[in-house]
Amino acid sequence: MSYAFEPVRDMGCIIRAERNGDPRGWLAEIYNAEIFAAAGVPGFVQDNISRSSEAGTVRGLHFQFPPHQQGKLFRVARGAVFNVAVDLRGPGFGQVDQRVLDDPTVWIYLEPGVAHGVQTLEAEVELHYKLTARFEPRALGALRYDDSALGIAWPITPDRSRLSPRDLAARSLADLEGAF
């Protein structure tokens, strides 16, 4: 099996797994610790699954404050999302990466200090995450999904009913400068 690694600005990388198919369908190896480590993707201590039932649901932009920041390896196992990453670190502060993810053989790795969020583009979306640090509730942070400084072009206008109270009360980008 082989993989293609493409940079995501200075925030991480996109990892595309090779599909091997025949008339019955296809098979892909979607994770190989040795190959990922050789490409600079670290090891992981926690795996999570998230499921959203409605299109237009926004989750994020989430991160953990130092010293508990997490690197995240993320993929869409089912459905499609509009994926957003925002660099909260030094020289890259405020850089935004926006893209649609809809292929279960594609991972995106985001380094510690990068806020991450998604908007579901269809119903019944399932997401898989691998994290480099454990969840620490006291270190949890959220960046406002609608901060005008970010210029995020959400494909579906976010509806307040599809946002968590934490995401509605999140901080602005300006409030986070120097936090990492």
Side-chain angles (χ1 to χ4, degrees):
M1 300 287 175
S2 68
Y3 297 90
F5 293 83
E6 308 165 22
V8 174
R9 300 183 184 248
D10 289 328
M11 293 186 270
C13 63
I14 294 285
I15 305 157
R16 297 182 194 285
E18 173 187 356
R19 290 183 188 197
N20 293 300
D22 62 27
R24 300 169 297 166
W26 56 266
L27 169 88
E29 176 185 278
I30 60 167
Y31 179 75
N32 182 306
E34 186 177 317
I35 292 171
F36 281 38
V41 177
F44 301 96
V45 299
Q46 182 176 322
D47 283 18
N48 295 348
I49 295 175
S50 169
R51 187 168 182 272
S52 297
S53 57
E54 294 181 41
T57 300
V58 173
R59 294 183 180 271
L61 304 158
H62 300 151
F63 60 91
Q64 287 194 174
F65 284 102
H68 303 285
Q69 59 269 49
Q70 298 171 310
K72 182 184 292 183
L73 185 65
F74 165 84
R75 79 181 180 100
V76 179
R78 177 180 175 187
V81 300
F82 178 70
N83 190 78
V84 178
V86 180
D87 201 339
L88 300 177
R89 306 164 301 165
F93 183 78
Q95 286 189 61
V96 179
D97 181 78
Q98 306 173 60
R99 65 181 71 225
V100 172
L101 295 175
D102 61 0
D103 182 341
T105 64
V106 174
W107 290 98
I108 185 166
Y109 172 68
L110 299 172
E111 296 177 358
V114 175
H116 178 243
V118 299
Q119 181 180 58
T120 58
L121 299 178
E122 54 192 65
E124 308 305 330
V125 171
E126 186 175 300
L127 314 172
H128 293 182
Y129 300 81
K130 296 176 99 41
L131 304 167
T132 62
R134 295 189 198 305
F135 173 68
E136 177 52 59
R138 296 175 312 217
L140 190 59
L143 174 61
R144 284 204 60 90
Y145 73 97
D146 61 353
D147 188 328
S148 61
L150 300 173
I152 299 170
W154 298 103
I156 301 170
T157 303
D159 178 330
R160 297 180 78 73
S161 68
R162 291 190 214 119
L163 290 153
S164 72
R166 177 184 68 194
D167 291 343
L168 288 169
R171 299 165 89 178
S172 72
L173 182 65
D175 292 339
L176 295 169
E177 192 159 7
F180 289 83

